[in-house]
Each structure stands twice: as C-alpha cells, then as structure tokens.
Amino acid sequence: MRVRRMSAAIGAAAALALALTACGADTEKTEAKSVAQKVKDSKKITVGIKFDQPALGLKKPDGTFEGFDADVARYIAKELGAPENGITFKEARSENRESFLGGGQVDLVIATYSITDARKKQVTYGGPYYVAHQDTMVRADENDIKKTEDLKGKKLCKAAGSNSFRRVTEGPPDGKLAIKGVELVDASSYSECVAKLGAGALDAVSTDDLILAGFASQQKGKFKVINSPFTDEKYGVGIKKGDTETCEAVNKAVTKMYQDGTAKTLLDKHFAGTGLKPTTTVPQFEGCA
Ligand code: GLU
C-alpha cells in the first residue's frame, strides 16, 4: 500500500517535471531565435545600410549597392551562412537604426553606426569593425574655419538621429567639445547636409572622416576637409538588444575579415584616392555582454 502510494507520488512528480521541461523548451522555441541561428537555417539576411553615402553605403541607379559598409555586410552575411543572393539591403537612415533593430525590420545594421553610451542601452553591438574619426568639411573657398573651434558662430549641419552634431555642441559621454554659439541647421541625412553645404545654406558638415572623404571625392574640388580629427567613432554592427549569440558570431567574422586581409582590401578599394589613410589593423572589440 505504502509502496503504491509512493510510486504514484513519484509518477506525479515525474509528470510535472516533464511538463515543465516541455513548457521551457516551448518558450525557448517561440522566443527569439537568434539572428545567427535564423540566418544559418534560412540562408537569408536583411541588413540595414545607408543608401546615400558614397564609398560606404550607396544605392546605384541600376539598383546595386556599393561601399565599404555594403561589402562588410556581404562578408559577415557569408560567414553567418547567407550567400550574396540571400541578402536584402534596406535603407537605414541615422534616425531609424534603433527602431529597425528593435522592431525586427532588419537583422543587422551596418551603417556608419557609432557605438555610443545612449545607443548601447537599446542596441547590442558587434565589433567595432572600424574606428573612424570625426572631422569637418567646408566649401573649398572657405577661409574662416580652420579648426573645429572655429565653428563658433557658424551654421553646422544636424543630421536627424546622428550623433555627430553632439560631439561639437555637447560634452561627454556622447558629446565632446561643448562649443557654444553654434547654429544647428536641420537635415534628414548626410547627403542633404552636403547638398546644403554646396548651396550655401550652411557653413560646415562635421562627421566621420570616412563619410566626408566619400562625399569630397564624389564631388571633387567642391569641398575640403579641414583635417582636424577629434573623436574615435567606433563603427559597430547593430544587433537587436540581448542577442549575444549573434554578436559573438559577428565578432568571429570581423576577426577573420582582418586576419585574411579582406578588411585592408576593402578599405583600399573604397578609400584609395580619397586622400584618407584608413587604419587597417583590427580594432579592439567592445564585448557582447
Ligand atoms: N557615426 C555617426 C553616428 O552614428 C555619424 C554617422 C551617421 O549618423 O550615420 O551618429
């Protein structure tokens, strides 16, 4: 009698344990499959890149994409298991990068995307895959702006969702120089900033040296970069917050991209002839935690 009761109790406990395990496994399955796992299974990936930044992310009239970020995206996609024809590029603008990742419209963002304290609260970053430096571009005939401090009293572009204006007008952690008396002029993107600079609607565009080099060499003779770099812009691979599995896979791919010489080849391909000398050693990783 006692034995029977005990075995019944064990049976119930075992059934409960089984039910709990099954339940746990279920939630794991329906809850976020990592991007790395999804790409491995489907051989497809959606990556947010810029469409309007020459040498970085540019959509050509024939619908193809070129630039350093586009090529880095292709390399990482391949390492994760998606061949070139499995990649969908979506237009990431500075202001939609966090919501694109949070809402799952893209799997990764590779779009001149600096790792900042504020963004780290919303985004997990792989990399950095490159460290750019902020500099300032003016019209070729400009003589008043020779160093960043000369922006005081001048009209500076503020691209929506970008951090660069903050480096000039605010202090740390996400700002830097906190220069007072700068007049900010709104634009939706860096291509609009550059168009406004060319048209005389503002005096300077201050942002990453790679971005400025791309525009300056696209429109030769029109602009000059003052060559006064003043920040480290760690270009991260944006990943949905908490997806460390994908972050680790991305870091593996970035390490390989430097070790096998691809990073140098790509930097040479896109920036040779722009006057900019890119760094070709692997950057210090941020860590996925
Ligand atoms: N790297 C800077 C940033 O992420 C400027 C370029 C951009 O907005 O894409 O804010």
Side-chain angles (χ1 to χ4, degrees):
M1 184 66 181
R2 202 188 280 163
V3 173
R4 217 191 297 152
R5 217 186 292 146
M6 234 167 64
S7 69
I10 290 170
L16 184 67
L18 252 175
L20 282 175
T21 332
C23 186
D26 246 25
T27 17
E28 248 166 56
K29 237 184 268 158
T30 45
E31 246 176 40
K33 201 190 210 187
S34 74
V35 159
Q37 194 57 52
K38 203 188 82 180
V39 175
K40 209 168 168 186
D41 294 347
S42 67
K43 317 236 174 306
K44 287 193 170 67
I45 192 167
T46 304
V47 187
I49 61 166
K50 295 289 180 85
F51 278 13
D52 67 328
Q53 290 181 185
L56 287 155
L58 189 69
K59 185 173 184 181
K60 309 272 286 176
D62 66 1
T64 59
F65 300 92
E66 66 172 29
F68 179 61
D69 280 348
D71 282 342
V72 168
R74 290 183 180 106
Y75 189 95
I76 292 173
K78 186 163 175 237
E79 290 302 308
L80 296 183
E84 171 110 39
N85 65 10
I87 305 172
T88 304
F89 285 120
K90 270 203 181 156
E91 183 173 20
R93 287 174 291 108
S94 293
E95 84 187 314
N96 68 13
R97 293 176 291 198
E98 291 83 32
S99 65
F100 258 23
L101 288 167
Q105 279 100 319
V106 297
D107 297 314
L108 301 176
V109 167
I110 302 180
T112 60
Y113 198 10
S114 297
I115 303 172
T116 67
D117 278 17
R119 290 173 184 161
K120 264 172 139 176
K121 294 188 182 115
Q122 295 171 266
V123 174
T124 291
Y125 285 100
Y129 60 94
Y130 190 77
V131 181
H133 308 286
Q134 183 162 338
D135 210 323
T136 301
M137 187 167 85
V138 295
R139 282 179 297 278
D141 61 1
E142 170 71 59
N143 289 314
D144 285 358
I145 305 170
K146 296 201 168 68
K147 50 187 192 317
T148 324
E149 285 69 21
D150 296 336
L151 291 172
K152 192 180 169 84
K154 299 290 183 188
K155 289 188 183 137
L156 178 70
C157 199
K158 178 186 179 187
S162 183
N163 194 60
S164 302
F165 75 94
R166 203 170 275 126
R167 302 284 201 216
V168 176
T169 62
E170 296 176 20
D174 289 351
K176 173 102 192 209
L177 300 175
I179 301 173
K180 298 278 163 270
V182 178
E183 193 185 326
L184 294 173
V185 177
D186 286 316
S188 61
S189 63
Y190 281 102
S191 54
E192 194 182 323
C193 283
V194 173
K196 286 189 166 178
L197 178 64
L202 46 85
D203 302 309
V205 178
S206 189
T207 190
D208 313 333
D209 50 4
L210 295 189
I211 299 178
L212 298 177
F215 282 111
S217 80
Q218 185 196 47
Q219 300 173 56
K220 282 213 170 24
K222 230 173 152 183
F223 306 109
K224 62 184 177 197
V225 178
I226 65 170
N227 196 16
S228 190
F230 65 99
T231 70
D232 283 342
E233 301 298 326
K234 295 183 267 179
Y235 279 5
V237 175
I239 301 164
K240 192 178 199 147
K241 180 82 184 159
D243 186 354
T244 37
E245 191 182 318
T246 302
C247 180
E248 272 150 22
V250 163
N251 283 354
K252 232 171 111 186
V254 173
T255 305
K256 191 172 166 201
M257 183 176 79
Y258 276 87
Q259 275 171 353
D260 69 11
T262 303
K264 184 183 178 332
T265 305
L266 295 180
L267 287 162
D268 284 349
K269 172 180 167 193
H270 297 293
F271 295 98
T274 64
L276 187 87
K277 296 250 169 307
T279 316
T280 55
T281 49
V282 62
Q284 167 97 43
F285 284 165
E286 195 73 3
C288 293

